[in-house]
Amino acid sequence: MTTEAFRKFALTFPGTVENPHFDRMAYKVEKRRIFATLHEVSNSANIKLPLRDQGVFSTFGNGAIYPVPNKWGLQGWTTFELHRIPDELLRDALETAYNDVFTARPGK
């Protein structure tokens, strides 16, 4: 998946907005939390998954999906190397992350 395809797909979710976030672009549900960030230079994304899903997606990534290597990873933030992952797998991860943020109470 290209970064442009990622961006377009992330913005298809209702109420999603795109904003700069340090050296990345962030995708969040309005008035809720960020569910993904995109780093165009490295062609990678960090996606916020429930911990149970983080483990599942990592097993299917053949090394291209892994927890962010710090405390963020322990909170479910997971790196996806976009060029190494099938589009459907990435779309499933984005949908999982979006649904988790959308169904959470605002601010959580």
Side-chain angles (χ1 to χ4, degrees):
M1 179 175 284
T2 66
T3 56
E4 185 58 26
F6 178 93
R7 179 181 177 276
K8 286 180 181 177
F9 185 71
L11 291 171
T12 65
F13 296 107
T16 297
V17 295
E18 176 185 56
N19 290 305
H21 184 71
F22 300 100
D23 62 339
R24 300 173 170 269
M25 292 303 291
Y27 301 88
K28 68 180 274 186
V29 180
E30 287 183 291
K31 300 182 183 174
R32 295 181 189 261
R33 295 192 179 257
I34 295 170
F35 66 91
T37 63
L38 175 64
H39 189 249
E40 291 188 46
V41 174
S42 65
N43 199 33
S44 68
N46 289 336
I47 299 175
K48 173 73 166 80
L49 297 168
L51 289 176
R52 67 185 177 278
D53 294 313
Q54 182 185 58
V56 172
F57 279 101
S58 294
T59 62
F60 289 108
N62 294 323
I65 301 172
Y66 46 89
V68 171
N70 56 35
K71 296 281 185 180
W72 292 104
L74 297 175
Q75 296 175 23
W77 283 99
T78 310
T79 298
F80 287 72
E81 296 175 10
L82 301 181
H83 63 286
R84 295 182 54 202
I85 301 165
D87 289 0
E88 284 304 312
L89 185 62
L90 192 53
R91 288 179 180 162
D92 286 347
L94 274 172
E95 186 173 355
T96 298
Y98 171 84
N99 287 334
D100 189 57
V101 168
F102 187 77
T103 59
R105 289 182 295 154
K108 291 287 180 181

